[in-house]
Amino acid sequence: MTFKTFLYLFSISIIAFVIHFFLVENIVPKNELVKWTYSIANLYTIFFVFSVVIMSLLLFVRTKNLDYVGYTYLIATSIKMGIAYFLLRPVLATTTDENSTEKINFFIVFICFLAIETLLTIRILNNKQ
């Protein structure tokens, strides 16, 4: 179950990154991309690391007591949300029209990884071996 979980996480992350990167490169003007605080690759790397840590923690908790996996997921996701807010603060501080695309991309990546983590947590909880 552990290797499969990380394989799913990696595969879905790569697919989401390729699609998102392709769309951003073809839609967003090049002069706007230079001004961004975080590139798409940086965002995906940061949130992939968060997801690996959360999944590792959930799989560890699952070996100890399956009943606490849901609580651990909620706490870890809340901590991730707090860290994401502090990462987003420099982006929120600048209020220009060019900056709105960066904000949207940040939230797209955040929601994408939140959905991936939720689905994998459901798989962990449904596997009661």
Side-chain angles (χ1 to χ4, degrees):
M1 178 70 181
T2 59
F3 177 73
K4 220 175 180 182
T5 302
F6 291 112
L7 184 63
Y8 285 141
L9 175 63
F10 182 74
S11 302
I12 295 170
S13 300
I14 290 295
I15 292 168
F17 170 74
V18 168
I19 292 169
H20 194 173
F21 186 79
F22 176 76
L23 289 174
V24 167
E25 286 293 318
N26 290 322
I27 294 173
V28 178
K30 301 293 182 222
N31 61 346
E32 187 177 326
L33 290 174
V34 176
K35 300 174 186 176
W36 284 5
T37 307
Y38 302 109
S39 69
I40 299 294
N42 286 346
L43 289 176
Y44 273 89
T45 303
I46 290 167
F47 283 104
F48 179 76
V49 169
F50 284 153
S51 294
V52 167
V53 169
I54 290 172
M55 286 298 118
S56 300
L57 183 63
L58 293 178
L59 291 170
F60 174 75
V61 169
R62 181 181 174 269
T63 60
K64 299 296 180 189
N65 190 350
L66 183 64
D67 295 334
Y68 292 114
V69 171
Y71 296 121
T72 305
Y73 171 74
L74 290 174
I75 291 169
T77 303
S78 298
I79 293 169
K80 181 182 93 167
M81 191 179 304
I83 294 170
Y85 171 73
F86 284 108
L87 289 173
L88 185 64
R89 282 182 59 190
V91 178
L92 292 174
T94 57
T95 55
T96 61
D97 291 335
E98 296 172 344
N99 193 314
S100 64
T101 309
E102 185 177 12
K103 292 174 189 175
I104 292 169
N105 282 326
F106 192 93
F107 286 113
I108 287 172
V109 174
F110 181 82
I111 297 298
C112 177
F113 277 95
L114 185 64
I116 293 168
E117 291 167 8
T118 303
L119 292 173
L120 292 176
T121 302
I122 291 169
R123 288 180 58 94
I124 292 170
L125 289 171
N126 284 337
N127 189 5
K128 298 186 191 277
Q129 295 179 20

